[in-house]
Amino acid sequence: MAKVLVVTSGKGGVGKTTSTAALGAALAQMGQSVVVVDFDVGLRNLDLVMGAERRVVYDFVNVIQGEAKLAQALIRDKRIETLSLLPASQTRDKDALSEEGVARVMDELREKFDWVICDSPAGIERGASLAMRHADVAVVVTNPEVSSVRDSDRIIGLLDSKTLRAERGERMEKHLLLTRYDRLRAERGDMLKTEDVLEILSIPLLGIVPESQDVLRASNIGQPVTVSGPDTAAGRAYADAARRLKGDPVPMTIPGEKTGFLGRLFGRRAA
Amino acid sequence: MTIFNLFRRKASAPVARERLQVLLAHERASIGRTDLVAVLREEILAVIAKHVTLDPEHLRVRMERGEQMSTLEVEVDIPSTARVRLALTG
């Protein structure tokens, strides 16, 4: 049975699209069949982060409006055979996604894939509610920073009330993915720690992704970080998170170096 | 930055944590409250409608939250032309 997963956050710029690409690629690298779906109509970027921007012919809106078949709009990844992308439209606005249309496409995707990963737009409006509407599982992407944590709290409230699962009175599975984590600054007391964020949001932790130049490098070259840097700290963090989503028990690690006395001293001075 | 500032500077993360805890406790309560008023409104309307034909516009439900006590204010306008359904008794 397919699982529909929404990657959401409320706040923009915390790493939803990067995380969608990396988690989708990681699950596909484990042999699962995966489709990543861009819900950010008008501001699509998942195609760019996945390196498929020049291969978009038809998009999500075309499929909903009957101008193309789903199979025509799906883009098969060139590196990982079991990974596909359904791009958003760049020229329409978010009202082009109808509730019935999205439901129909989601049903069709559920039949074809093991995982349907929906990349939510920022905000709490129509695009974001449609992206979470059909989800069985939610990954809440949060930065250890006050505005991101506050927005995540709001999104968790919406996941528990506005999704189909919530309306049917079923449990909505939610996971926290902490991104752009800087262990040094957290240890110094200048960044919220994992425990702080977990205590405030009280949902289980899926993974901790370090702030890293490898993530920027990956998007520069249009590859999910699990593909461009499987041995980097960020690549490993996403691969571990994907394994946990699949249900494999993987011990949690806090990425980043523990600092010695000199490191702490110089780390402070550099800040 | 001198070496003294290094030791004097207070960690900011605990401040962030405390501010968030206070803020979210308040926000969660107030969002919950909005829902409660909506739910109460629907149910009150349903009860009244069993006996009196009522335009939903004529029902106002407000909740005011005080330190010690909260008040629930229910205001119903029943126009004199409204049809009253007599409750069947005995």
Side-chain angles (χ1 to χ4, degrees), chain A residues 231-252:
Chain A
D231 297 323
T232 62
R236 277 202 306 270
Y238 277 117
D240 283 353
R243 257 179 237 121
R244 290 183 196 111
L245 276 176
K246 235 181 100 217
D248 302 347
V250 182
M252 190 68 66

Side-chain angles (χ1 to χ4, degrees), chain A residues 21-86:
Chain A
L23 290 174
L27 282 166
Q29 283 167 309
M30 290 172 217
Q32 306 271 300
S33 73
V34 180
V35 61
V36 287
V37 184
D38 194 345
F39 270 81
D40 207 345
V41 175
L43 289 171
R44 76 168 174 223
N45 273 318
L46 189 55
D47 55 332
L48 193 56
V49 170
M50 304 265 301
E53 70 278 11
R54 301 209 300 188
R55 299 171 61 207
V56 178
V57 183
Y58 293 110
D59 58 53
F60 199 176
V61 172
N62 293 137
V63 177
I64 282 182
Q65 300 192 337
E67 295 152 358
K69 291 232 159 61
L70 179 60
Q72 292 175 292
L74 287 173
I75 302 170
R76 177 85 67 87
D77 190 86
K78 282 194 167 156
R79 300 150 297 220
I80 311 164
E81 216 181 302
T82 53
L83 179 62
S84 297
L85 160 73
L86 180 58

Side-chain angles (χ1 to χ4, degrees), chain A residues 251-271:
Chain A
M252 190 68 66
T253 48
I254 303 176
E257 304 216 342
K258 248 192 152 157
T259 45
F261 173 72
L262 280 179
R264 276 207 296 276
L265 196 64
F266 287 115
R268 271 192 183 208
R269 297 192 79 153

